[in-house]
Amino acid sequence: MEKPPLPSDEADTGIGESRSVTELLDLGDPGTSGEAANDRPAWDSKLQYVLAQVGFSVGLGNVWRFPYLCHQNGGGAFMVLYVVLLLLVGVPLFFMELAAGQCIRQGSIGVWKHISPKLVGVGFSSCMVCFFVALYYNVIIAWSLFYLGNSFQSPLPWEHCPINMTPNTTVKECSDSSPTSYFWFRKALDITDSIDESGEFNPIMTGCLLAAWTIVCLAMIKGIKSSAKVMYFSSVFPYVVLFIFLIRGLMLDGALEGIAYMFYPKIEIWGEVQVWRQAATQVFFALGLGYGSVIAYSSYNPYHNNCHRDALMVSCINFMTSVLATLVVFVVLGFRAKTIALNCVTQNLGLLNDMASHGSANHWWPWFNMSDPASVTIPEYREWFRHYGSQVAPNITDCDLDKEMSKGVEGTGLAFIAFTEAMALFPASPFWSTLFFLMLLNLGMSTMFGTMQGILTPLMDNFSLLGRHRTVLTVCSCALGFVIGLLFTQRSGNYFVTMFDDYSATLPLIIVVVFETFAVAWVYGADRFLDDIEIMLKWRPPVIYKYLWKYLCLFAMVGLLLASLLRMAFKRPTYTAWNHTTASETTLEYPGWALVLLATLILAATLPVPVGFLHSWLKNRGTGPDMDPGVELSCQEMRRDSYRKYNNSVDSNLDASTRRAQSEEEEEVGRRPRASFLPLGVDHYRPLPQQEDLEEEEEEDAM
């Protein structure tokens, strides 16, 4: 029997989107069946996806953490060590997460539940860590908004110390430190002397935090469809600013000294365990491993997307961004250090001239031209000071450029103190300050989008009620984040940011990645996982990945976990506090209640792993070995099973629509026997049952 023509308007078929007969019946291609089985959002283009992954992995750590580690750990030697660990550990683990998300097409909870129900807690741990990180990360974005708002004035408010009205003197806390330090600790944070002194809320920072969460909520409210549009700007703009700063910085006096200091290798650091730990930790955090965001983003990819190429490309872009940011930082810090050293020379020459005017000069009088201090170079002055420094007054000091360069500033101190101090020396400093904090804002936002995706995607995938109310879930998550984030806007809030940054993510994430690697390499099976990837990519990745996952990556992550545990066991947790009396930073130990809070954060993020295992074991205690839920279907088998469920639901929908159409027809023409043919267009989606019915009728007639 000839099939009726296809309906011209396929939107009325009752399925929700048109699919050809081939798409519905082709069971041979797991990619096709998976798409049919999953009405899942997708990226509009490959560029959109790459920008999202790059935007998430390239964050504030690339700008202020990586340069600091290079600065403290041997410059070029640390970079070589970092590249080795990136290639042997970082790229394989990053590729593993990309492939798992793209193959299973679920968030972190669904992926590890598919690998083994006993490991479902790994996905929940990832969500918890993402939530903790989102809490304090958005506070850093709020700080960037505050500094951005203060950049639209000239001179910049952190260029000079404020003056007391009565008496007419410089504020002591500022004069004893620096204008940038005073503005950061007193004007921006209004910080207390310790974590024990909570203080009242900072109203300006509270408003900035509300603005930051509002931006995140608006960008995430439509899922990847809305956040991906923002990525076109937030992921690209930082690179434009970094190149502008690099070009401008290379024109500054001291830039070459900064670059030389950066690349000068100190090979001896390779023998220090601490340096290896820091390099491995930086690789781990730079790629965003364990958060679940990498898995969430890749789950929206087409099934046959080349995730191996994506892993190599994103890792390479991430490393090159770190090198670019390090160049910019060292160029600017070189300019800052040389400016400070030259000012030191000028000040000391002025003191020497005063001594000469009082007849105090003798045989140690400098041999260079004292009448023109600007012509005296730093090496000339230091050569003179090396010979006669011990014979002059104690207020005549050495002016060491390397010493100024070695004053490493990490994290927020680099961005909000050292860099702002250097930009205040630039001509048109408000312009450069605005560019810099816009860059920080966009770097933070693109990472924040990925972090929130690591929370929302697994929850929507595994809880259908939440999946049906995406907007409500997003708004409620952001509102909850703002309310809890008020902890960081009190005067002692910076100390809690440090606590969350140091302890709420590091140890739990390492534990998560250890279980991820073990699950793929040993529970699911590395060979089996490579089989799935071969079907996805239509070529088999090198077998070296099998051995990297099973041995090197797993042992490296276990070693990093043990090193972190030993460091916590033998070194009491401390934090850096600001003492307003001495106008300097000091290291303090956390009080007892803070240690309890710290331990609670770590336990809250790691407990889902054993709880999930115990729940699965208790739930299936009586299950026989042949029905062991821990032995899961392979990726393509699961996709085919999903297709069958989808096909059955389509058939039931079609049966229901058929019955409704027939009922309506009977009402129109009166009570009479139903037509023996299905309505036009229905057999487009159910050709096989009709064909079988006709063949049975023919066989009955022949008999």
Side-chain angles (χ1 to χ4, degrees):
M1 176 181 174
E2 184 179 355
K3 291 189 293 184
L6 298 180
S8 58
D9 186 4
E10 294 184 353
D12 296 328
T13 58
I15 295 183
E17 63 180 281
S18 67
R19 297 186 184 276
S20 67
V21 177
T22 305
E23 286 176 320
L24 287 175
L25 300 179
D26 184 9
L27 294 175
D29 184 359
T32 303
S33 64
E35 291 167 7
N38 221 339
D39 183 19
R40 191 174 185 79
W43 301 104
D44 291 339
S45 65
K46 183 62 174 286
L47 176 63
Q48 200 176 74
Y49 164 69
V50 171
L51 288 178
Q53 285 285 19
V54 170
F56 169 68
S57 64
V58 175
L60 297 173
N62 296 75
V63 174
W64 64 40
R65 179 67 179 166
F66 186 83
Y68 169 78
L69 292 175
C70 288
H71 185 273
Q72 294 295 100
N73 297 313
F78 179 83
M79 282 195 178
V80 174
L81 179 60
Y82 179 86
V83 171
V84 171
L85 291 175
L86 178 67
L87 293 176
L88 295 180
V89 179
V91 172
L93 292 177
F94 190 62
F95 175 43
M96 181 187 75
E97 289 199 358
L98 288 179
Q102 181 174 309
C103 180
I104 301 173
R105 297 181 67 78
Q106 290 278 311
S108 56
I109 297 175
V111 164
W112 305 117
K113 184 178 180 180
H114 166 69
I115 296 295
S116 173
K118 294 183 177 68
L119 296 176
V120 67
V122 175
F124 283 101
S125 282
S126 293
C127 288
M128 287 296 297
V129 172
C130 279
F131 183 67
F132 288 154
V133 171
L135 289 177
Y136 75 83
Y137 210 87
N138 229 17
V139 177
I140 301 175
I141 295 175
W143 294 341
S144 301
L145 283 172
F146 174 77
Y147 268 80
L148 178 63
N150 280 277
S151 297
F152 295 99
Q153 50 185 302
S154 183
L156 293 171
W158 52 82
E159 285 190 25
H160 306 290
C161 285
I163 304 296
N164 284 319
M165 299 302 294
T166 53
N168 190 20
T169 57
T170 303
V171 174
K172 185 177 184 300
E173 186 179 1
C174 183
S175 59
D176 290 347
S177 54
S178 68
T180 51
S181 296
Y182 175 80
F183 186 87
W184 166 241
F185 288 112
R186 189 54 52 215
K187 294 296 184 181
L189 302 179
D190 193 18
I191 200 166
T192 57
D193 286 352
S194 72
I195 197 172
D196 283 315
E197 307 170 34
S198 60
E200 63 275 5
F201 288 108
N202 185 329
I204 298 178
M205 281 303 170
T206 302
C208 291
L209 182 63
L210 177 61
W213 275 111
T214 302
I215 295 172
V216 171
C217 184
L218 292 176
M220 298 292 301
I221 203 162
K222 295 295 184 182
I224 63 170
K225 294 299 182 183
S226 56
S227 63
K229 301 293 189 298
V230 183
M231 289 292 183
Y232 284 113
F233 180 79
S234 63
S235 297
V236 175
F237 180 74
Y239 289 95
V240 176
V241 176
L242 284 174
F243 277 110
I244 291 175
F245 264 99
L246 180 61
I247 295 171
R248 180 65 183 92
L250 290 173
M251 301 177 185
L252 299 172
D253 188 21
L256 296 181
E257 286 86 346
I259 294 176
Y261 190 91
M262 166 188 167
F263 283 108
Y264 182 77
K266 299 175 184 176
I267 306 298
E268 62 273 12
I269 61 101
W270 287 3
E272 301 178 15
V273 177
Q274 177 73 1
V275 176
W276 284 82
R277 185 188 68 81
Q278 290 182 338
T281 304
Q282 180 60 23
V283 168
F284 178 78
F285 282 105
L287 294 175
L289 301 174
Y291 285 92
S293 304
V294 172
I295 293 174
Y297 275 158
S298 63
S299 71
Y300 299 117
N301 269 335
Y303 182 72
H304 292 300
N305 173 65
N306 192 341
C307 55
H308 182 262
R309 182 178 57 198
D310 295 341
L312 296 175
M313 178 171 56
V314 173
S315 300
C316 182
I317 293 174
N318 188 293
F319 172 68
M320 295 307 297
T321 304
S322 297
V323 174
L324 174 61
T326 304
L327 273 172
V328 171
V329 168
F330 273 81
V331 162
V332 174
L333 292 185
F335 163 69
R336 170 178 171 264
K338 191 164 187 179
T339 301
I340 294 174
L342 288 174
N343 290 339
C344 171
V345 171
T346 303
Q347 182 180 359
N348 286 333
L349 291 182
L351 293 174
L352 288 174
N353 276 324
D354 290 342
M355 294 172 64
S357 63
H358 291 85
S360 302
N362 51 25
H363 65 281
W364 47 260
W365 183 251
W367 55 77
F368 38 75
N369 184 10
M370 291 287 294
S371 61
D372 184 15
S375 65
V376 180
T377 64
I378 296 174
E380 287 177 339
Y381 174 83
R382 296 203 66 212
E383 178 67 19
W384 170 83
F385 188 85
R386 188 172 64 85
H387 286 90
Y388 302 108
S390 60
Q391 303 176 28
V392 298
N395 58 342
I396 305 298
T397 59
D398 190 11
C399 300
D400 189 354
L401 179 62
D402 289 340
K403 183 180 179 181
E404 293 297 332
M405 283 294 302
S406 65
K407 291 180 180 178
V409 185
E410 180 187 10
T412 55
L414 174 63
F416 298 108
I417 298 177
F419 225 83
T420 52
E421 182 178 345
M423 288 186 297
L425 302 173
F426 286 13
S429 55
F431 169 76
W432 297 105
S433 180
T434 302
L435 269 186
F436 178 72
F437 288 110
L438 266 177
M439 179 191 72
L440 287 189
L441 179 62
N442 282 276
L443 280 173
M445 280 296 175
S446 56
T447 301
M448 191 66 189
F449 296 154
T451 304
M452 290 298 295
Q453 205 69 55
I455 302 171
L456 301 176
T457 297
L459 294 179
M460 291 187 294
D461 285 344
N462 287 271
F463 302 99
S464 57
L465 178 64
L466 298 178
R468 291 194 298 269
H469 300 89
R470 174 194 298 272
T471 301
V472 176
L473 175 63
T474 303
V475 173
C476 290
S477 299
C478 292
L480 180 63
F482 169 71
V483 172
I484 300 178
L486 293 176
L487 171 71
F488 307 108
T489 63
Q490 57 183 337
R491 293 181 58 197
S492 60
N494 185 52
Y495 304 137
F496 288 97
V497 170
T498 302
M499 177 192 292
F500 272 67
D501 188 29
D502 290 342
Y503 298 103
S504 72
T506 305
L507 195 63
L509 277 181
I510 296 173
I511 294 173
V512 165
V513 175
V514 167
F515 276 99
E516 286 183 0
T517 311
F518 177 76
V520 168
W522 295 97
V523 177
Y524 191 79
D527 288 317
R528 191 178 174 196
F529 191 59
L530 286 173
D531 290 340
D532 291 338
I533 297 175
E534 182 178 7
I535 292 176
M536 278 201 308
L537 304 184
K538 300 182 180 179
W539 59 273
R540 192 173 185 84
V543 72
I544 186 66
Y545 282 110
K546 169 185 174 181
Y547 300 103
L548 290 175
W549 289 330
K550 293 185 70 172
Y551 304 109
L552 184 60
C553 292
L554 185 58
F555 291 156
M557 295 311 301
V558 170
L560 183 57
L561 175 61
L562 293 176
S564 300
L565 289 173
L566 289 174
R567 184 169 178 266
M568 291 182 62
F570 290 103
K571 183 181 178 183
R572 183 182 173 94
T574 59
Y575 67 101
T576 302
W578 176 258
N579 188 317
H580 79 280
T581 304
T582 61
S584 61
E585 291 182 313
T586 180
T587 301
L588 301 177
E589 292 184 347
Y590 282 108
W593 65 266
L595 291 177
V596 172
L597 176 59
L598 185 153
T600 303
L601 291 175
I602 296 176
L603 287 175
T606 54
L607 268 181
V609 177
V611 169
F613 180 88
L614 184 62
H615 176 266
S616 177
W617 180 76
L618 291 174
K619 183 179 179 181
N620 302 284
R621 199 167 33 174
T623 305
D626 295 336
M627 299 177 62
D628 182 7
V631 182
E632 287 291 327
L633 297 173
S634 67
C635 181
Q636 59 268 31
E637 288 170 342
M638 184 197 72
R639 295 173 64 82
R640 293 177 187 229
D641 183 64
S642 299
Y643 167 77
R644 285 190 290 271
K645 295 177 182 177
Y646 174 88
N647 203 33
N648 291 336
S649 67
V650 169
D651 287 343
S652 63
N653 288 339
L654 289 173
D655 289 340
S657 63
T658 300
R659 287 192 296 270
R660 286 196 300 270
Q662 291 171 343
S663 176
E664 292 173 358
E665 183 179 359
E666 289 176 356
E667 291 177 359
E668 291 178 1
V669 300
R671 297 290 182 181
R672 65 188 185 198
R674 290 183 295 179
S676 58
F677 296 101
L678 293 174
L680 183 66
V682 174
D683 59 335
H684 170 46
Y685 298 97
R686 300 186 62 202
L688 295 182
Q690 279 196 356
Q691 188 72 18
E692 292 172 357
D693 292 341
L694 291 174
E695 290 175 355
E696 290 176 359
E697 292 176 3
E698 291 174 358
E699 290 175 0
E700 291 175 358
D701 293 337
M703 294 176 62

